[in-house]
Amino acid sequence: MNITRENIDELNAVVKVDIAKEDYSEKVDKILKDYRKNANIPGFRKGQVPMGMVKKQYGKAVLVDEVNKMLQDALNKYLTEEKLDVLGNPLPKEQENFDWEQENYSFEFELGLSPQFEVNFETKKPITHYKIVAGEEMIQNQIKHLQKQYGKLISKDVAEEGDVVAGTFKNEEEGIDNSTSLPLEKLKGKKNLNKFVGAKVGDTISLKTKGLFEDDHQLIEFLKIDHDKGHDLDIEVDFTVSEINKQELAELNQEFFDKLFGKDEVKSEVELKEKIKEDAAKQFTQQSDQQLLNDVTESLIENNTFQLPKEFLQKWIQTVGEKPLTEDEAKEEYDKSEQGLRFQLIEGKLIRDNDLQVKFEDLKAFATARIKEQMAQFGQMDPSEKELDDIAARVLSNQEEVKRLSEQLLNEKLLAFYKENIKMKEKEVTYDDFVKEIYK
């Protein structure tokens, strides 16, 4: 067997594989002898079928199968030994006059080669790394939410704005019959609110579902109806009041602070606000880092231009799916995926050149740290090393978990690398301003 390569240009090559009779004949003959031993052909005893008949019936199929196996093994070995960084898979070139009746064969494969480049980190302007903080309105809303959560309900006879009204939504025709507790502040518009103000226990209020709440998902929750049914539902429902309560907020005192954070951890409303702001900042870190990854990705694609074997990749895309694509369909698919492919090449080079690969010992340490955090949430503050090792071993025996954790760890490694090597500026914004700026 002989393998040669012709480089068409820096991104395209053709590999030729020559297979001679002596390369495959011994293997084919052995398989045919095994066929002869087990062949059941009328008129012949088992194992006594003439070899000529066996070759006539099975010879070509065995030959084609063995040559193809040999071809794939040789090609894969060649690509590995030559350390060729190929894109997609080798594509066999069509041969008009190919004949399996001959004894020696030549096969040609087109290769698309990965481009050679150095990653450029230079940017026209620094990339913004957002530090998202809770604004005053968000902090006040969170304080009020906590006061409600730790406050108490006081029974009343007549409903007023801000009360919580318990009762049952009904519509016999639509099969709606759901008892619920309805904070009147959830209602949309004065017209709906005014129907409840002044209501007493036992009163039945007629309501239109359209425009009853700010969004359809609240309607789905309060009426307990199917998701699809709840969207744009426009019917009348009756609400029968069974209980009226006033929400009395918990006082902002030391007892309240201790319930939230432990004894004497917070001692004033000022410290409470700082604590809420600090906790919110931790929750926003993930969103901030994800946005940084998105912006760095765009910057790296923009600032690293290199050629790809476009025509080869379009031909490969035509063949790789469940069903073949037309030339136009393949071009359209390539255009959609080109940016993603470019970033895969950039990211792959960064990982190789900077030793950012996920190694098993790193993955085990990462998984163990996550397990320890989860156990702490359930009050297990000091698990033994053996206990952690046993749980980590079970987690890492699940291939789906290994894949998920590996992706998380690789993202963390890349994020740390970007923060050290790419020019960026920090910008402090409230969450609302962050949303406006990113999704404007």
Side-chain angles (χ1 to χ4, degrees):
M1 184 184 299
N2 186 43
I3 301 180
T4 56
R5 181 173 85 247
E6 178 189 358
N7 291 327
I8 308 301
D9 54 39
E10 291 183 350
L11 299 174
N12 295 275
V14 173
V15 169
K16 184 179 180 183
V17 182
D18 294 320
I19 298 179
K21 182 178 180 179
E22 56 265 26
D23 294 322
Y24 62 81
S25 58
E26 185 177 338
K27 180 71 172 175
V28 169
D29 287 345
K30 182 180 183 304
I31 293 172
L32 290 174
K33 285 177 183 177
D34 290 339
Y35 273 31
R36 185 186 183 213
K37 290 178 186 177
N38 299 298
N40 285 313
I41 295 178
F44 297 96
R45 285 185 297 167
K46 188 174 181 180
Q48 298 300 312
V49 180
M51 180 55 79
M53 186 175 290
V54 173
K55 285 184 177 180
K56 185 176 181 180
Q57 187 163 352
Y58 301 109
K60 187 173 182 180
V62 171
L63 170 67
V64 171
D65 189 47
E66 288 307 310
V67 168
N68 277 325
K69 285 180 184 176
M70 187 176 294
L71 180 62
Q72 289 304 317
D73 289 344
L75 189 58
N76 291 335
K77 184 179 178 183
Y78 176 80
L79 295 178
T80 301
E81 289 178 348
E82 294 293 312
K83 297 179 181 178
L84 291 177
D85 192 1
V86 298
L87 299 178
N89 294 316
L91 290 177
K93 292 186 72 174
E94 289 187 15
Q95 299 183 59
E96 290 183 7
N97 301 315
F98 187 83
D99 184 7
W100 282 105
E101 298 300 326
Q102 60 190 351
E103 294 183 341
N104 301 320
Y105 308 104
S106 289
F107 302 90
E108 291 185 343
F109 293 86
E110 295 179 62
L111 302 183
L113 305 177
S114 184
Q116 300 298 310
F117 63 95
E118 295 299 322
V119 179
N120 174 27
F121 292 109
E122 293 298 320
T123 57
K124 293 177 183 177
K125 57 183 180 179
I127 294 175
T128 301
H129 185 205
Y130 293 95
K131 181 182 179 183
I132 308 171
V133 298
E136 184 62 29
E137 183 180 355
M138 180 177 281
I139 292 171
Q140 290 294 350
N141 287 339
Q142 179 64 7
I143 290 174
K144 188 175 181 182
H145 171 75
L146 292 169
Q147 284 181 284
K148 283 183 177 180
Q149 186 179 340
Y150 287 89
K152 58 184 179 180
L153 294 174
I154 300 172
S155 182
K156 295 178 61 179
D157 295 323
V158 181
E160 296 178 277
E161 285 190 39
D163 288 345
V164 179
V165 178
T168 304
F169 280 108
K170 282 191 178 183
N171 180 303
E172 290 186 11
E173 195 173 311
E174 295 291 335
I176 296 170
D177 186 353
N178 186 56
S179 296
T180 187
S181 186
L182 175 64
L184 295 185
E185 64 185 23
K186 297 283 186 183
L187 294 167
K188 180 181 178 182
K190 274 284 185 182
K191 185 177 178 181
N192 288 320
L193 177 61
N194 287 339
K195 290 185 177 183
F196 281 87
V197 172
K200 299 175 183 177
V201 173
D203 286 354
T204 297
I205 301 166
S206 182
L207 301 159
K208 285 187 177 292
T209 56
K210 191 171 181 66
L212 187 57
F213 299 101
E214 284 294 337
D215 69 65
D216 292 336
H217 292 95
Q218 289 178 311
L219 183 71
I220 291 164
E221 179 61 29
F222 283 114
L223 270 62
K224 283 290 183 287
I225 54 178
D226 290 338
H227 184 273
D228 292 340
K229 184 177 181 179
H231 282 285
D232 300 319
L233 183 66
D234 188 5
I235 60 171
E236 284 199 359
V237 291
D238 290 333
F239 184 89
T240 302
V241 179
S242 60
E243 189 178 339
I244 302 169
N245 293 293
K246 178 182 178 181
Q247 178 82 62
E248 186 176 88
L249 301 180
E251 290 185 38
L252 296 176
N253 55 26
Q254 194 59 47
E255 181 184 0
F256 176 65
F257 301 149
D258 289 349
K259 283 180 182 177
L260 290 175
F261 303 108
K263 187 168 177 58
D264 294 333
E265 288 293 319
V266 170
K267 296 182 180 179
S268 67
E269 187 175 347
V270 172
E271 291 183 11
L272 172 63
K273 287 183 177 182
E274 283 302 315
K275 183 69 174 172
I276 290 173
K277 190 173 183 178
E278 179 186 317
D279 290 345
K282 291 177 184 176
Q283 294 175 22
F284 294 143
T285 297
Q286 185 175 356
Q287 285 174 280
S288 172
D289 285 346
Q290 184 58 56
Q291 187 57 44
L292 178 62
L293 281 173
N294 294 344
D295 292 341
V296 168
T297 298
E298 288 185 13
S299 175
L300 287 173
I301 293 173
E302 182 181 344
N303 291 290
N304 288 274
T305 56
F306 45 80
Q307 295 296 313
L308 292 171
K310 183 176 178 178
E311 290 182 7
F312 168 84
L313 288 171
Q314 288 176 355
K315 287 169 68 175
W316 174 70
I317 288 171
Q318 281 186 266
T319 66
V320 76
E322 290 184 6
K323 63 175 185 177
L325 300 181
T326 66
E327 189 174 319
D328 287 341
E329 287 172 336
K331 285 180 180 178
E332 184 179 344
E333 195 62 33
Y334 174 81
D335 289 341
K336 289 179 186 175
S337 60
E338 182 183 358
Q339 295 291 68
L341 174 58
R342 287 182 181 280
F343 184 68
Q344 284 180 15
L345 293 172
I346 294 167
E347 187 179 65
K349 184 168 179 59
L350 285 175
I351 291 168
R352 291 191 301 273
D353 291 354
N354 299 281
D355 195 26
L356 300 177
Q357 292 92 341
V358 173
K359 298 169 184 172
F360 180 76
E361 56 267 28
D362 297 333
L363 186 60
K364 183 181 177 184
F366 183 72
T368 302
R370 289 289 184 273
I371 293 164
K372 200 169 182 179
E373 287 173 9
Q374 291 174 359
M375 293 177 77
Q377 291 175 3
F378 292 97
Q380 295 175 266
M381 306 304 293
D382 191 25
S384 68
E385 189 171 329
K386 183 181 184 309
E387 190 176 8
L388 288 170
D389 283 345
D390 289 346
I391 297 173
R394 288 199 299 273
V395 169
L396 296 177
S397 67
N398 182 322
Q399 289 305 306
E400 287 298 317
E401 275 299 293
V402 168
K403 182 181 177 183
R404 185 180 68 84
L405 289 170
S406 296
E407 288 174 354
Q408 289 181 1
L409 178 54
L410 180 58
N411 273 344
E412 286 196 7
K413 285 180 173 242
L414 284 167
L415 187 65
F417 178 82
Y418 293 150
K419 287 179 178 179
E420 287 181 9
N421 292 278
I422 292 182
K423 185 166 64 175
M424 58 185 65
K425 63 177 181 180
E426 187 172 88
K427 182 177 181 179
E428 184 172 303
V429 292
T430 65
Y431 179 74
D432 289 339
D433 287 341
F434 170 75
V435 171
K436 288 177 185 175
E437 191 161 330
I438 297 304
Y439 301 105
K440 58 189 174 184

